[in-house]
Amino acid sequence: MSTGSTVLDTSLSNVSLGSSFPEERDTEIENEVKCLSIIVLGASGDLAKKKTFPALFHLFQQGFLQETDVHIFGYARTKLSDDNLRERIHGYLSNKSSSRQTEVLSRFLQLIKYVSGSYDSEDGFQLLNKEISEHEISKNSQPGTSRRLFYLALPPSVYPSVCRMIRRYCMNQSDLGGWTRIVVEKPFGKDLKSAEDLSAQLGELFDEQQLYRIDHYLGKELVQNLLVVRFANRFFLPLWNRDNIDNIQIVFREDFGTEGRGGYFDEYGIIRDIIQNHLLQVLCLVAMEKPVSLKPEHIRDEKVKVLQSVLPIKLEEVVLGQYEGYKDDPTVSDSSNTPTFATVVLRIDNERWEGVPFILKAGKALNSRKAEIRVQFKDVPGDIFKCKKQGRNEFVIRLQPSEAMYMKLTVKKPGLEMSTIQSELDLSYGLRYQDVKIPEAYERLILDTIRGDQQHFVRRDELRVAWEIFTPLLHRIDAGQLKPISYKPGSRGPAEADELLAKAGYVQTHGYIWIPPTLD
């Protein structure tokens, strides 16, 4: 295990046991407080199999979950035995066949127990609570000291009924060092009203400190690095404003279509699925002011201030697209108006960012797969080298794949002539940190939930303001007042999107391609 992992492991242990002074803990208190139950609701579904259980296994594998402390419960409507669930998830947890890996995997699977029941069933949740309580008693956990983490890997439509059942039958009964926390997955509603209705229903059942609205983009390594890069490096501080930055792009591109998710996707579209949550979260971290401290609430306060400063979206600064063949999916309506591509320009009305367009772009079935932040600086005044046509300085943060940060610079081209060329200063994580395992976003966020750190989770007021920005546009699309432009799969998307970028001030660099460094 790396040094960083060891430090984090120690931190988790302190949180888990309720004291920073191990020598002062007696055996009775330790036994009372250590018990942790993780309950995955929707355990038989794709999200649980592909993301939740693998994240839990990796935390167990690295020592962040101890088999003496934790037990994992799966709950779903499907009739399964414990072994049936273990068999279902086995193939998603590890692709290694070493004896050591097999032994660790076997130990992890034995921590999993399955309970079957419906999502509005008193009997089902009473049985679930009985199983959890029996586990807690077996660990000598006293009432009020247990920790219960409920992960809702479920459609939002069942959140209210599930949360009512949890509140009624499955809560930690008192606060003697224990807690009950609820992790809810996006989408958090479809517009402002539905999001507020959902928030109100959950808010009647749980305090805001108990709710963890998970957006896995906030767990990505390079997203987490944004605050460090911005506020721990002196040379960025004077540059990060409208005087030096011309425009900022936040881009999400996939080189495949809906692939079997057509029915789900058609209900939401690319703006709800990607832009209103993932890309807007990234925008907050790029644009926010320095928080008073690193306390979660101070950071989330600054994110809300950014969103409150966003001006209403202008329709002329929106381009929608739908790839050819999208409606061939039998689960998609022949008259679907759902965009699979969107470019939206947001403008922040404050002293730092007035006049700087923030271009959010996302699409499916495009010519490449990547997610990145691209900060484009203004032209150098008095260009004595006549190199403007080669492109501007850019600071690029590649979120996926091939995590990297690089600065595009103009440099002298090697040789006897005084000519210039674009190159880069490059920090590629795969090359620089060869011996470090970059954790998956879900691993980090589940660990944050156990530790009670809400920094990387969406607060209710932040969610409301985010929906206020996009709801008018979404209602126009839903009403058919804005039509997506058809584009070919494998293209850059509609040509009109590139035209909008040019109008917003983005200058494309021609002839330059960033190539991830390799060890060869």
Side-chain angles (χ1 to χ4, degrees), residues 19 45 97 112 218 254 460:
S19 170
S97 57
I112 298 173
L218 291 178
E254 288 182 332
R460 181 174 176 175

Side-chain angles (χ1 to χ4, degrees), residues 415-487:
L416 297 175
E417 300 292 329
M418 179 53 77
S419 58
T420 59
I421 191 173
Q422 281 228 320
S423 188
E424 69 279 325
L425 297 176
D426 195 330
L427 168 59
S428 291
Y429 275 53
L431 188 64
R432 179 67 178 83
Y433 304 114
Q434 296 173 38
D435 298 326
V436 177
K437 177 189 177 295
I438 296 178
E440 293 292 332
Y442 280 91
E443 296 174 39
R444 189 190 309 274
L445 294 176
I446 290 174
L447 187 57
D448 281 350
T449 307
I450 295 169
R451 300 169 71 193
D453 185 346
Q454 291 192 309
Q455 175 181 331
H456 304 115
F457 296 84
V458 182
R459 201 168 65 187
R460 181 174 176 175
D461 56 343
E462 181 183 348
L463 179 64
R464 181 180 65 250
V465 182
W467 277 118
E468 286 175 351
I469 293 169
F470 280 97
T471 291
L473 172 62
L474 290 167
H475 283 178
R476 285 179 173 270
I477 296 170
D478 293 343
Q481 297 173 10
L482 287 177
K483 300 290 185 182
I485 301 163
S486 180
Y487 65 94

Side-chain angles (χ1 to χ4, degrees), residues 83-94:
D83 286 337
N84 290 153
L85 178 60
R86 292 163 185 162
E87 290 168 6
R88 280 193 174 206
I89 66 176
H90 183 283
Y92 294 95
L93 301 183
S94 175

Side-chain angles (χ1 to χ4, degrees), residues 138-411:
S138 74
K139 297 293 185 182
N140 298 320
S141 177
Q142 299 302 312
T145 64
S146 62
R147 298 170 296 157
R148 298 184 177 187
L149 171 59
F150 291 87
Y151 193 110
L152 275 57
L154 295 166
S157 58
V158 299
Y159 287 173
S161 62
V162 167
C163 287
R164 279 193 296 272
M165 293 294 109
I166 293 172
R167 182 71 196 184
R168 191 171 301 169
Y169 299 109
C170 297
M171 297 287 286
N172 176 37
Q173 295 305 309
S174 61
D175 185 13
L176 296 175
W179 43 254
T180 302
R181 293 174 184 155
I182 314 295
V183 179
V184 292
E185 277 275 356
K186 78 170 189 72
F188 314 118
K190 293 185 67 177
D191 58 9
L192 178 59
K193 183 180 184 305
S194 60
E196 281 289 273
D197 288 346
L198 182 58
S199 291
Q201 291 180 72
L202 299 188
E204 290 175 358
L205 300 168
F206 302 106
D207 296 334
E208 185 67 21
Q209 291 74 22
Q210 295 175 298
L211 290 170
Y212 289 72
R213 300 174 188 86
I214 193 169
D215 184 332
H216 75 271
Y217 251 59
L218 291 178
K220 288 185 176 294
E221 181 69 28
L222 271 294
V223 173
Q224 298 232 324
N225 208 352
L226 274 171
L227 295 189
V228 179
V229 168
R230 282 196 57 197
F231 300 126
N233 293 287
R234 182 69 180 86
F235 58 85
F236 274 126
L237 295 177
L239 296 178
W240 212 260
N241 53 50
R242 61 190 177 92
D243 296 330
N244 299 286
I245 293 174
D246 187 272
N247 60 82
I248 296 176
Q249 277 194 75
I250 305 172
V251 178
F252 174 92
R253 304 166 65 89
E254 288 182 332
D255 55 4
F256 53 88
T258 53
E259 293 194 344
R261 295 175 66 245
Y264 164 83
F265 184 86
D266 200 57
E267 188 179 351
Y268 290 94
I270 198 72
I271 295 177
R272 290 184 176 98
D273 196 40
I274 301 296
I275 294 179
Q276 184 274 340
N277 43 75
H278 297 335
L279 302 195
L280 199 60
Q281 287 293 320
V282 175
L283 177 145
C284 289
L285 296 175
V286 170
M288 64 185 272
E289 297 298 320
K290 182 186 289 187
V292 175
S293 76
L294 291 177
K295 291 180 179 178
E297 291 313 304
H298 290 158
I299 292 173
R300 300 204 292 182
D301 287 345
E302 295 303 331
K303 290 168 65 181
V304 171
K305 289 178 186 177
V306 169
L307 295 177
Q308 289 172 331
S309 300
V310 174
L311 295 171
I313 297 170
K314 297 179 181 178
L315 296 185
E316 61 268 25
E317 294 193 316
V318 177
V319 172
L320 306 177
Q322 187 185 89
Y323 68 82
E324 295 174 8
Y326 169 70
K327 289 184 278 196
D328 293 345
D329 187 320
T331 62
V332 174
S333 167
D334 291 339
S335 59
S336 172
N337 195 56
T338 301
T340 62
F341 174 99
T343 297
V344 180
V345 178
L346 297 186
R347 297 182 181 273
I348 299 173
D349 186 24
N350 64 19
E351 182 179 3
R352 181 182 295 272
W353 296 116
E354 182 181 0
V356 178
F358 284 75
I359 303 161
L360 308 188
K361 182 165 67 173
K364 290 183 172 291
L366 298 175
N367 60 347
S368 63
R369 172 182 172 266
K370 67 178 178 180
E372 67 181 18
I373 305 160
R374 186 172 292 270
V375 180
Q376 187 169 89
F377 292 90
K378 293 185 174 182
D379 290 324
V380 175
D383 179 21
I384 60 174
F385 294 102
K386 312 298 180 188
C387 55
K388 281 186 180 179
K389 291 182 180 179
Q390 290 177 347
R392 291 170 164 169
N393 294 147
E394 290 182 353
F395 178 49
V396 181
I397 302 175
R398 173 70 69 99
L399 306 179
Q400 66 179 35
S402 305
E403 293 94 341
M405 292 186 289
Y406 61 95
M407 178 73 81
K408 286 171 58 178
L409 303 175
T410 299
V411 299

Side-chain angles (χ1 to χ4, degrees), residues 108-120:
F108 173 77
L109 290 172
Q110 291 309 305
L111 299 177
I112 298 173
K113 186 172 184 60
Y114 183 75
V115 178
S116 175
S118 67
Y119 297 125
D120 57 359

